[in-house]
Amino acid sequence: MSIVLFFYGQIGHRKKSARMALTSLEKKNHYAILTINRPDALNALNEDILNEIHEHVEGLAGDAAIRGLIITGTGEKAFCAGADIGQMASFNPEQAEAFARKGHKTMNAIAGSDLVSIAAINGFALGGGLELALSCDIRIASDNAKMGLPETGLGIIPGFGGTQRLSRLVGPALALEIILTGTQVKSDRALQIGLVNQVVVQSELLNTAEKMMGIITGKKGPEAQKIARWLVHSGLEQPLSAALEREINEFSQIFSREEPRVGLTAFKEKKEPDFSGG
Ligand code: COA
């Protein structure tokens, strides 16, 4: 049985309902599905939503049973159409800095947690919406999805990590093309340039993400996965030689743990490994 939690943000930023759930969290076996629920604004990120996502991620990090997070948006039109343009319109530099810091804090919480994350991109992922997807480990897009960083068209720049995470994912030339043209990249091109891992028809999007998450959180060694994920992420910030040395170190250290005994022995005995510790 799954458990659904709703967050109710502070009253003030919503126009159509004073107490509308802005996000929901559904806990499954070993992962959770976080859904942004603000369809009247194409799931745009205001401060309340950023806070709620952050709180969900923090809460999940303290739940030993949960190892993965799928993030998606309500409806068939938008994953998330970006940071809330209405909220930003009146910003002075101090307010803009506070907003950017809040956005970074939320994106860093996702990327820096031990949760394996998949963005299930169900439509527009623009600006902060693409930055949210970029903070996830894996992106699966529906065939109607369009992704981009259109900020320069508004006279601003991506401020939730887009300039850095996009260029690390697709390389600086493609990142600059996307940022400077503000183009909406369709899902087939996104797949071609490595912006997304997979494209599926919309009706299959969540199923596909859940299936992949089920494999990830299924019969693999959780400690081994955690270390491998950390090596990939942290290695991007290091010179290659240092990152390779760290891989040797972690490879050797893992043999002081139980998981290699379970996994290697099960293979030799032609059995399924049981990493549950039971
Ligand atoms: N912030 C706040 N509200 C937003 C929003 C955002 N980023 N993106 C869309 N909305 C709102 C619209 O204002 C509109 O509200 P309204 O019905 O009260 O007028 C509603 O969502 C639907 O959007 P609309 O523009 O009418 O839909 P569309 O199908 O014509 O266009 C988009 C869809 C995504 C192309 C268009 O909404 C858009 O360009 N959004 C902004 C994307 C962006 O620049 N993001 C980066 C922000 S830094």
Side-chain angles (χ1 to χ4, degrees):
M1 198 178 79
S2 62
I3 304 166
V4 183
L5 304 173
F6 289 99
F7 261 85
Y8 292 91
Q10 293 149 18
I11 296 167
H13 301 307
R14 256 136 297 125
K15 51 190 174 178
K16 290 187 179 162
S17 166
R19 282 182 69 80
M20 188 179 107
L22 293 173
T23 59
S24 67
L25 190 75
E26 184 182 6
K27 286 191 181 182
K28 298 277 183 104
N29 247 351
H30 296 300
Y31 60 90
I33 304 174
L34 192 165
T35 306
I36 304 174
N37 185 24
R38 195 191 176 199
D40 56 346
L42 303 187
N43 300 321
L45 299 171
N46 59 19
E47 285 189 41
D48 290 340
I49 296 182
L50 289 170
N51 286 337
E52 289 183 19
I53 295 173
H54 188 257
E55 284 179 50
H56 282 310
V57 172
E58 294 267 287
L60 292 172
D63 185 338
I66 300 292
R67 305 204 334 258
L69 173 65
I70 296 172
I71 301 181
T72 193
T74 288
E76 297 189 346
K77 187 167 175 183
F79 172 74
C80 170
D84 189 316
I85 295 175
Q87 221 171 24
M88 288 190 294
S90 60
F91 277 174
N92 61 32
E94 289 73 30
Q95 290 167 317
E97 180 181 346
F99 192 56
R101 288 199 184 283
K102 193 178 285 291
H104 275 263
K105 192 173 157 195
T106 299
M107 308 304 158
N108 291 342
I110 296 164
S113 80
D114 279 335
L115 299 163
V116 178
S117 48
I118 299 179
I121 304 173
N122 55 306
F124 288 112
L126 300 175
L130 181 57
E131 290 168 307
L132 178 64
L134 287 167
S135 73
C136 295
D137 298 326
I138 293 163
R139 283 151 292 283
I140 304 176
S142 60
D143 50 1
N144 69 327
K146 290 181 183 166
M147 291 147 265
L149 293 175
E151 284 89 343
T152 57
L154 299 167
I156 60 175
I157 63 167
F160 292 170
T163 59
Q164 302 310 305
R165 289 201 172 98
L166 183 62
S167 50
R168 279 165 174 74
L169 184 65
V170 302
L174 284 165
L176 281 169
E177 179 192 326
I178 291 167
I179 292 166
L180 300 180
T181 64
T183 191
Q184 292 179 4
V185 180
K186 290 184 183 165
S187 50
D188 52 351
R189 180 151 193 250
L191 182 65
Q192 196 187 22
I193 65 176
L195 178 53
V196 299
N197 298 55
Q198 212 174 321
V199 176
V200 294
V201 291
Q202 185 156 61
S203 57
E204 280 304 309
L205 179 64
L206 208 52
N207 274 346
T208 307
E210 289 199 67
K211 206 168 160 191
M212 189 186 286
M213 189 59 94
I215 293 170
I216 291 170
T217 57
K219 293 175 182 144
K220 309 284 179 286
E223 286 299 326
Q225 285 182 320
K226 199 184 290 184
I227 295 164
R229 180 174 174 269
W230 174 75
L231 281 170
V232 170
H233 280 304
S234 64
L236 290 171
E237 295 182 20
Q238 287 195 313
L240 181 61
S241 55
L244 290 175
E245 190 56 34
R246 209 151 64 165
E247 186 188 83
I248 295 170
N249 189 40
E250 293 298 332
F251 181 79
S252 63
Q253 288 306 309
I254 205 163
F255 282 84
S256 65
R257 295 174 180 267
E258 187 57 22
E259 277 188 12
R261 262 179 288 285
V262 172
L264 299 171
T265 308
F267 182 84
K268 280 203 307 185
E269 294 175 356
K270 301 190 186 304
K271 290 182 187 158
E272 283 284 329
D274 177 7
F275 293 108
S276 66

